[in-house]
Amino acid sequence: MTPSVSILRVMKDPQLFGTVFEAPSWHAWVLCAAVIFGLTHGLTPDEQSLIGTCLGARTLPTQQVREAWLVCGRRAGKSFFVALVAVYLSCFRTYRLARGERGVFMVLAADRRQARVVMRYVKGFLHSSPLLAQLVTRETQTEVELTNGVTIEIHTVSFRSVRGYTLVGAICDEIAYWPTDESASPDTEVLQALRPAMATVSGALLLCISSPYARRGELWRAYRDQYGKDSERVLVWRADTRTMNPSVPQAFIDQAYVEDAAVAATEYGAQFRVDLETFVSQEAIDGVTVPGRRELPVISQVAYAGFCDPSGGSSDAMTIAIGHPEKNRAVLDVVREVKSPFSPEGVVREFSELLRQYRVTRVCGDRYAGQWPREQFHKCGIRYEASAKPKADLYREFLPAVNSGRVELLDLPRLRSQLGHLERRTARGGRDTIDHPPHEHDDVANAVAGVLVDVLSRAASQVSAHQIMEINRRPQVPYPQRRIF
């Protein structure tokens, strides 16, 4: 990287962005840029006070940091600001690249639609200035190529697809809400893939931005470990919505606090949720997971039970779990998951064949889609009965069974991840709800909790294995055919 004009000078150049960043509502972001790039000389006492509030008790960096974590409320202007930084790093610096090599500034989000928000701002900056527009050689919906050998690209969250690039910078957009059900900690894996790609590029910058959520994941760890701590490499900036964007009406935020104070404190106050708890600890899950056990074969004289979490095939997965009682425990034997898109009728046939292999002719399941699952399983000779207990109640009964070691789980990463990320939320009325985090899934966890709670319930009712098998052998009651008018 060769010496370049400072970002503060770029922000205030009327030929580039007009007077946008001269507005008082952008003053806090100008100070944020000054801190990130080590340009904090000549600050007024009021500016020092604002920066101190956002950084905690730490000394200011004297040079550009390598990582900046911006924990700010919604409508604070995060996306607009980081788009400016992307343009600055891509257009106003020259990087030493090998012949044929392109530097990439990567914009990552949970999905492409969300990543396009930042990309639209980037394109807006480039096209609003004739000087910057001359740098664009090619433009698509997902990338912008520049004449200086740098490309600004959109990417979705995947630690595999971000490898192999030479990065001059990266934006991790709304990192607190990235999906985390594909492995134990995808946000960690993505960052581990990004950092080496920037290691050899002088002046590269990792920008992680988000409004906060639960006290877990990389955003929480960065805040917990780095906020208020002196570092020339990592910076954590936390600020509420009004601090960063005074144009948001105070009355609007006040009303949000009246409607739900816990949510408003997160959305606009930049506070991590204190009403969210991890439902079951990873240590408890590990304690009841049998290492290396992926599936158990059918055993004669064992009475099995099944639980299905249906899906229409367009978004959520469809799952089934089978288990059996063993002494005073419930043992998980097999789990199947079919991810969307799929044919629901075909999956029902597949699951029915699996149930028959385990001598199960009655399956319990979620109340999803009314009569549809009952009708489809009936065609395959399986009785489908909707669970009398909602999902949250199944999880509540499942938790003490896990903590007391009365269940045995299969060693499945998907199951371990979904169980470990379940959240207990406390509503304003005081009632707890248990569910998966936003943008995640609990289809496997739901099926497993359902079947093991069912097995334990039968054991508690002193229903013998012989009686369960007799129930399964009973002839089916003919299902009434619908009259078509």
Side-chain angles (χ1 to χ4, degrees):
M1 181 198 72
T2 59
S4 60
V5 63
S6 76
I7 190 171
L8 298 184
R9 185 174 174 184
V10 169
M11 294 174 77
K12 297 179 180 180
D13 190 330
Q15 295 185 10
L16 295 173
F17 309 122
T19 59
V20 172
F21 295 102
E22 295 289 344
S25 62
W26 286 101
H27 184 59
W29 284 114
V30 173
L31 295 179
C32 182
V35 173
I36 291 173
F37 290 92
L39 305 171
T40 54
H41 53 278
L43 296 173
T44 67
D46 287 343
E47 291 173 338
Q48 292 176 354
S49 176
L50 188 151
I51 291 174
T53 300
C54 297
L55 292 183
R58 59 156 291 169
T59 58
L60 300 181
T62 58
Q63 58 188 6
Q64 178 194 318
V65 296
R66 295 288 290 184
E67 298 183 13
W69 296 74
L70 309 181
V71 187
C72 303
R74 295 189 66 184
R75 310 310 302 169
K78 300 185 294 294
S79 298
F80 192 80
F81 172 73
V82 295
L84 166 76
V85 176
V87 170
Y88 170 69
L89 292 176
S90 300
C91 298
F92 291 91
R93 289 186 172 178
T94 303
Y95 301 93
R96 294 182 179 178
L97 302 172
R99 183 172 298 179
E101 182 181 32
R102 292 197 70 86
V104 174
F105 194 104
M106 196 173 287
V107 181
L108 296 103
D111 55 57
R112 291 187 182 277
R113 182 170 297 180
Q114 189 174 31
R116 288 191 188 113
V117 174
V118 174
M119 182 59 89
R120 281 195 290 266
Y121 287 135
V122 167
K123 292 179 179 179
F125 282 131
L126 292 173
H127 293 305
S128 65
S129 167
L131 296 176
L132 296 178
Q134 296 175 12
L135 296 176
V136 178
T137 60
R138 191 175 72 90
E139 180 179 327
T140 68
Q141 287 189 336
T142 60
E143 64 181 46
V144 177
E145 286 188 3
L146 304 176
T147 58
N148 60 359
V150 175
T151 302
I152 305 172
E153 297 181 3
I154 285 176
H155 286 257
T156 54
V157 177
S158 168
F159 72 94
R160 293 181 179 88
S161 64
V162 301
R163 302 175 72 90
Y165 290 86
T166 299
L167 297 183
V168 303
I171 295 169
C172 298
D173 193 12
E174 293 296 345
I175 190 172
Y177 296 89
W178 281 8
T180 55
D181 60 343
E182 294 299 327
S183 60
S185 186
D187 54 350
T188 300
E189 293 170 358
V190 172
L191 293 176
Q192 287 175 346
L194 290 175
R195 288 177 176 128
M198 292 185 279
T200 59
V201 180
S202 177
L205 177 63
L206 176 64
L207 280 166
C208 298
I209 65 170
S210 187
S211 52
Y213 188 59
R215 292 180 289 182
R216 65 163 180 268
E218 286 300 304
L219 184 71
W220 165 249
R221 280 188 281 273
Y223 175 77
R224 180 193 62 195
D225 298 339
Q226 300 291 340
Y227 182 70
K229 306 290 180 62
D230 290 347
S231 174
E232 290 293 314
R233 190 181 70 86
V234 181
L235 174 87
V236 178
W237 176 286
R238 186 184 69 83
D240 61 82
T241 298
R242 286 268 300 169
T243 295
M244 303 309 296
N245 185 6
S247 66
V248 177
Q250 184 64 50
F252 172 79
I253 295 178
D254 291 342
Q255 182 60 35
Y257 273 89
V258 170
E259 293 173 356
D260 194 322
V263 173
T266 296
E267 298 281 45
Y268 305 107
Q271 301 288 336
F272 286 88
R273 292 282 290 266
V274 296
D275 62 326
L276 291 178
E277 298 179 2
T278 300
F279 177 63
V280 56
S281 70
Q282 199 63 55
E283 292 77 13
I285 297 170
D286 293 341
V288 295
T289 299
V290 181
R293 180 187 288 179
R294 301 290 189 268
E295 189 169 306
L296 290 174
V298 181
I299 302 175
S300 60
Q301 302 305 313
V302 169
Y304 295 95
F307 192 99
C308 180
D309 186 1
S311 168
S314 60
S315 55
D316 292 337
M318 186 164 173
T319 57
I320 194 165
I322 297 175
H324 74 272
E326 188 173 298
K327 297 181 179 179
N328 62 340
R329 298 192 308 278
V331 178
L332 181 63
D333 291 87
V334 61
V335 173
R336 291 284 189 273
E337 177 190 26
V338 179
K339 297 181 181 180
S340 61
F342 56 81
S343 166
E345 292 80 4
V347 174
V348 168
R349 289 194 296 270
E350 177 185 335
F351 285 1
S352 298
E353 179 59 32
L354 179 67
L355 291 168
R356 281 192 291 270
Q357 292 176 19
Y358 284 80
R359 301 187 300 277
V360 177
T361 59
R362 165 199 171 272
V363 65
C364 195
D366 191 79
R367 293 181 177 274
Y368 169 86
Q371 294 294 327
W372 176 85
R374 185 181 177 189
E375 293 174 352
Q376 295 301 318
F377 275 100
H378 175 78
K379 294 177 182 179
C380 299
I382 302 294
R383 291 200 311 277
Y384 182 95
E385 297 179 6
S387 173
K389 300 174 182 177
K391 179 170 64 175
D393 288 348
L394 290 175
Y395 286 144
R396 287 191 190 93
E397 294 185 30
F398 182 64
L399 177 61
V402 172
N403 290 337
S404 62
R406 291 187 294 122
V407 297
E408 287 185 8
L409 302 181
L410 299 174
D411 190 2
L412 304 175
R414 185 82 160 173
L415 172 61
R416 187 191 300 268
S417 177
Q418 289 191 7
L419 287 175
H421 287 94
L422 288 174
E423 295 176 344
R424 186 197 300 271
R425 299 184 181 94
T426 303
R428 285 183 295 171
R431 180 175 174 80
D432 286 348
T433 60
I434 299 103
D435 207 346
H436 58 80
H439 310 298
E440 297 193 21
H441 303 278
D442 66 344
D443 314 287
V444 173
N446 185 26
V448 169
V451 72
L452 296 184
V453 166
D454 186 29
V455 169
L456 290 172
S457 300
R458 297 185 186 196
S461 302
Q462 297 181 343
V463 178
S464 68
H466 176 73
Q467 289 173 301
I468 295 175
M469 295 177 71
E470 287 300 318
I471 291 173
N472 278 333
R473 290 195 187 102
R474 291 175 187 171
Q476 295 189 60
V477 177
Y479 189 77
Q481 297 295 321
R482 291 186 177 179
R483 183 176 300 175
I484 302 176
F485 294 94

